[in-house]
Amino acid sequence: MRSWIKRMLLSLSVCFVVSIMVGQTSVHADFPLRVVVNGTKIGFPDAKPYLDKNSRVMVPVRFVSEALGAKVDWDEKASKVTVKQKDKTVILFIGKKEIDVNGKKDQMDTVAVTSKQRTFVPLRFVSQALGAAVVWDSAVRTAYINTNGETASKAETEIIGGLVVPKWNTHTDLLIAETGSTVFPGVSFQVNLLRADVNKQIEDLAIILSQKCDPASIEELVNYIKQKDERWEHLGKKYLYDERSKRYLYVYETEYEGIDIVFLSAEKSKVWKKNLGD
C-alpha cells in the first residue's frame, strides 16, 4: 500500500498544472470583501469593510472622506455623521434608518453603527446620496463604485468546470482552468510570483475556494503557499482533505515562480480518500 501511495504522489508531483479553481455563487463571510472606486482597489489598513445582518456593505466613515472626496464631521453628543461633498450634504444618525440628503429625508434598510471605536456607514446609501453609482458583485465579493457619472460595472465572469470565476487579465491575475486530465481531473489554480499583485491572486484563490471549501481548509492552504515568497524558493508538495466539499486540495512541489494547486474532482477524491486513509 505504501509503495502504491508513493508512486501515486510521485506521478502527481511531476504533472504540470496551469490554473485554478472556483466555487458557486455564495461566498463565506470570513473572507475580506473589496471596494473598487473608479477602477482602483481601495485599501483598508485597520478598520475593514463587512456585510451586516441586512447584507449591506459597511465601510469606515473615513473611507467616505478619503476615497469619495467628501468631508466628514462627527458629532459625538448627537451620534450624528455629516458628509459633505460639493453641493451634497448627507446626515446619518447612529442606530437609525433615517438618512437626510440636502434636507430631504428618506429611509435606509440598515443603520450606521460604531464598532471598536470606529464609525461604519452603509456604502450603497452614502455613495448613491453623493451621486455615485454602486454595484455589488457577489461572485467576486466586490463593491464597484463610479463617481464620474458612468454606470459601475461588475467584473466579467465565466464558467469553468461548473464554477463562476472572474476573467483572467480583467479582474484577476490568478490562472483558472480545468485540468483536462482523466488521471488527475479537477480545477486547477496557479499563483505566480511574477504576475501582478500576488496578494490579490491569493485573495482571489481564497474567495473562489470559499464557495466550496471550509474556511479552515482554505486558511491552511493559504498559510502554506504564502511560505513561498521568492521566485526560486522551494515549496514542497502538500495535500489536504476538505470536509465540506469532500474533496482534496493538492499543492505541487515547485522551485520556480508558479505555485500550482488543484481542486480534485469528487470522484477522484473518493479514490484518494480510500487509498490515503485520511
Side-chain angles (χ1 to χ4, degrees):
M1 177 64 71
R2 288 184 177 178
S3 61
W4 184 92
I5 294 174
K6 288 180 179 179
R7 289 197 302 272
M8 182 186 72
L9 294 179
L10 179 61
S11 66
L12 294 177
S13 67
V14 296
C15 293
F16 178 76
V17 181
V18 247
S19 282
I20 121 184
M21 129 133 205
V22 179
Q24 314 174 115
T25 54
S26 61
V27 178
H28 197 281
D30 283 353
F31 293 98
L33 58 80
R34 293 175 292 195
V35 177
V36 176
V37 177
N38 298 331
T40 300
K41 179 187 173 185
I42 304 301
F44 296 92
D46 44 17
K48 305 294 184 182
Y50 67 92
L51 287 178
D52 71 4
K53 63 182 180 180
N54 298 306
S55 298
R56 291 299 185 184
V57 178
M58 303 295 290
V59 294
V61 72
R62 187 180 68 179
F63 158 83
V64 178
S65 61
E66 294 180 349
L68 299 184
K71 181 182 178 182
V72 177
D73 292 319
W74 166 245
D75 185 336
E76 185 174 1
K77 186 176 181 180
S79 296
K80 181 175 73 173
V81 178
T82 301
V83 180
K84 294 183 178 180
Q85 184 194 64
K86 297 181 180 179
D87 59 343
K88 300 278 190 181
T89 300
V90 181
I91 300 174
L92 304 92
F93 291 88
I94 300 300
K96 295 184 179 181
K97 291 186 176 182
E98 182 179 285
I99 183 171
D100 184 309
V101 183
N102 287 350
K104 183 179 179 180
K105 293 178 172 56
D106 202 351
Q107 291 288 309
M108 305 182 294
D109 59 8
T110 193
V111 298
V113 299
T114 55
S115 176
K116 298 179 180 179
Q117 299 183 323
R118 297 285 187 180
T119 299
F120 286 80
V121 296
L123 175 65
R124 177 179 295 277
F125 289 103
V126 174
S127 298
Q128 290 179 338
L130 295 175
V134 182
V135 170
W136 169 249
D137 191 344
S138 61
V140 289
R141 198 167 162 78
T142 302
Y144 294 93
I145 302 173
N146 275 4
T147 63
N148 52 18
E150 298 179 1
T151 301
S153 58
K154 291 185 178 183
E156 294 181 75
T157 58
E158 58 185 329
I159 305 297
I160 296 179
L163 306 169
V164 181
V165 302
K167 284 189 175 180
W168 180 72
N169 236 13
T170 57
H171 292 278
T172 186
D173 285 302
L174 178 70
L175 286 178
I176 307 167
E178 292 184 72
T179 64
S181 169
T182 56
V183 177
F184 202 47
V187 186
S188 66
F189 306 72
Q190 188 190 77
V191 173
N192 194 297
L193 301 183
L194 298 186
R195 287 197 294 268
D197 202 339
V198 174
N199 286 334
K200 183 177 181 299
Q201 291 182 56
I202 295 174
E203 184 178 304
D204 287 340
L205 171 66
I207 290 171
I208 291 168
L209 283 174
S210 68
Q211 300 172 51
K212 291 284 189 181
C213 299
D214 188 272
S217 300
I218 300 169
E219 182 178 9
E220 182 179 352
L221 174 69
V222 167
N223 288 339
Y224 184 72
I225 64 177
K226 277 188 173 181
Q227 295 179 61
K228 181 179 174 68
D229 54 12
E230 296 291 339
R231 180 179 182 182
W232 305 116
E233 188 174 4
H234 176 264
L235 184 70
K237 60 188 176 183
K238 180 180 180 66
Y239 63 92
L240 61 95
Y241 184 73
D242 175 64
E243 287 290 347
R244 179 183 170 197
S245 65
K246 307 301 181 186
R247 295 166 68 171
Y248 277 91
L249 289 160
Y250 185 85
V251 181
Y252 286 79
E253 180 179 18
T254 179
E255 294 181 348
Y256 301 97
E257 61 272 8
I259 304 173
D260 294 311
I261 304 125
V262 66
F263 186 58
L264 204 64
S265 71
E267 293 75 13
K268 184 61 70 172
S269 292
K270 289 180 181 179
V271 177
W272 277 39
K273 182 72 171 175
K274 180 180 179 180
N275 290 299
L276 294 178
D278 284 2

